[in-house]
Amino acid sequence: MSATPLPTAARRPDVGAPLPKREPVTRLPVLLLEVQSRCNCRCVMCDIWKVRESREIRAADVAGWLPEWRRLGVSNVVLTGGEPLMHSDLGGLCRVLKEAGVAVTVLTSGILLPQKAPHLAPLVDEVIVSLDGPRDVHDALRGIPGGFDRIAAGVAALSTARPSLPVSGRCTVQKGNFRHLPATVVAAKILSLRRISFLAVDVASEAFNRPGGRGETPASALALSPEELPELERVLEELAGRHAADFDSGFIEESPAKLRERIFGHFAAIAGAAPPPPSRCNAPWVSAVVGVDGSVRPCFFHPSYGRLAEGESLGTLANAPAARAFREALDVATNPVCVRCVCRLNLREDFPAGTEAPP
């Protein structure tokens, strides 16, 4: 995976002002939990597949943390990894969250969905599957022959088990699929997804098991060259023209203008052809990432500021001297990590508390 999308409720059109960056942090509406360390894909843009040790966040751990999480206003939890469907007791973990009134989003490659769907569907509020192109393109980038067809079977199984469950797609745009963005929208419709969104590939951070920012696949094989930028521009124009109705309906989640900023602007900056797109994000003040080892980070791309496993609570860690010093010094408009980020969060004041992700 290249980055973790947020629940639908956190990705709605910009309505209302962003939540303020208050100190101390007293409300964390969104938590992202890396519930499983391993993955069953071999994606070109991620090296989590190299992890051999299987580690998990247990349902009992979450049950113990939940009273404080609710006091902090946690209303939406995204389950990621690794591959969350490889968790040995994902149903138990989801049940603990659901019984506490927390909305649950599962981010998955979809490989295990055909088997897991009947048990998963009643316990979650949204499923987001990775979709990186039409069948052959997707399978090549994900390293799983037949992966697209498994997603199709899994989405169908979810629909059978719970027709009202929102199932969305997220495409990681990169050198290997940027020419296929219109076909990816068609593929999302073939799969009967509720919507599709697009995110540029991350080639700069140490996330996704890439120490030093270097992975199995070199950045030059993922990012676009300067010579490919005009073609990307044409593809985005084609997408905006051919699928205008899908933008208008929200089937394509981002607007054409936002795609140009977040996709074209990102790759243009990597190629040295333009400055990075404007960085607007309040993630360190309104969300947190809990790693499978209990580590707590302000987002996927900045370092941890402590561990729950060491007896510290989430609220204590979020307001410890190290965390407060980090936020006080953080200018997201100029920070080198933030300006290269592909997954910015700018949570709005109308973000719902404890409600199911909207259809």
Side-chain angles (χ1 to χ4, degrees):
M1 96 190 41
S2 179
T4 296
L6 291 161
T8 299
R11 294 180 278 125
R12 293 178 300 170
D14 292 346
V15 177
L19 284 169
K21 300 174 180 178
R22 291 197 177 102
E23 296 288 353
V25 170
T26 58
R27 183 185 174 207
L28 291 171
V30 176
L31 278 188
L32 299 101
L33 304 186
E34 297 176 339
V35 296
Q36 163 62 237
S37 60
R38 297 181 63 205
C39 186
N40 54 1
C41 283
R42 188 165 176 157
C43 304
V44 298
M45 60 284 195
C46 173
D47 283 8
I48 294 177
W49 58 268
K50 291 182 177 180
V51 175
R52 292 290 177 259
E53 180 185 10
S54 181
R55 303 179 69 180
E56 296 182 343
I57 291 178
R58 301 174 305 160
D61 296 328
V62 173
W65 295 330
L66 263 171
E68 191 217 15
W69 289 4
R70 295 301 281 155
R71 290 194 295 272
L72 285 169
V74 173
S75 58
N76 281 251
V77 168
V78 179
L79 304 184
T80 178
E83 170 51 58
L85 296 192
M86 293 177 69
H87 193 282
S88 62
D89 185 24
L90 188 64
L93 194 153
C94 291
R95 193 170 292 108
V96 166
L97 291 166
K98 189 172 184 66
E99 289 175 354
V102 177
V104 180
T105 296
V106 174
L107 171 65
T108 175
S109 68
I111 302 302
L112 295 176
L113 265 182
Q115 304 97 292
K116 302 287 187 176
H119 309 289
L120 186 69
L123 299 173
V124 301
D125 298 277
E126 182 179 21
V127 175
I128 302 174
V129 297
S130 298
L131 177 64
D132 288 329
R135 178 180 284 102
D136 292 346
V137 174
H138 173 87
D139 290 357
L141 294 177
R142 291 278 157 177
I144 300 293
F148 183 95
D149 291 337
R150 294 191 207 182
I151 293 174
V155 173
L158 286 173
S159 180
T160 298
R162 185 178 163 198
S164 63
L165 178 65
V167 185
S168 307
R170 168 58 65 93
C171 175
T172 301
V173 182
Q174 56 195 281
K175 184 186 286 284
N177 67 0
F178 80 92
R179 297 178 177 89
H180 303 280
L181 301 190
T184 303
V185 174
V186 174
K189 293 182 177 182
I190 291 171
L191 293 173
S192 298
L193 298 181
R194 188 72 60 93
R195 59 180 58 83
I196 180 73
S197 62
F198 295 93
L199 185 77
V201 68
D202 169 46
V203 298
S205 81
E206 294 191 351
F208 318 113
N209 196 34
R210 298 179 310 181
R214 293 180 294 274
E216 184 84 3
T217 304
S220 59
L222 297 172
L224 275 63
S225 68
E227 293 75 23
E228 290 170 318
L229 292 176
E231 188 173 2
L232 172 61
E233 196 164 28
R234 289 193 296 271
V235 170
L236 290 174
E237 289 173 357
E238 177 189 352
L239 185 66
R242 184 184 298 181
H243 291 280
D246 294 318
F247 281 106
D248 291 343
S249 70
F251 183 79
I252 299 176
E253 194 166 288
E254 300 83 6
S255 67
K258 181 165 284 190
L259 282 185
R260 180 173 177 83
E261 176 183 297
R262 295 288 180 86
I263 305 297
F264 182 83
H266 174 77
F267 287 117
I270 291 175
S279 181
R280 298 176 290 270
C281 181
N282 58 8
W285 290 266
V286 299
S287 69
V289 178
V290 178
V292 72
D293 60 353
S295 60
V296 179
R297 288 171 281 162
C299 71
F300 271 93
F301 305 103
H302 283 287
S304 164
Y305 45 62
R307 290 184 62 188
L308 294 174
E310 294 170 355
E312 298 284 358
S313 72
L314 181 61
T316 300
L317 289 175
N319 290 294
R324 295 193 68 164
F326 163 77
R327 290 191 299 267
E328 288 169 4
L330 180 63
D331 178 4
V332 297
T334 60
N335 180 273
V337 173
C338 295
V339 298
R340 296 194 302 263
C341 182
V342 299
C343 191
R344 298 162 188 168
L345 170 65
N346 205 24
L347 209 62
R348 319 302 289 189
E349 287 181 338
D350 63 338
F351 184 79
T355 59
E356 181 168 340

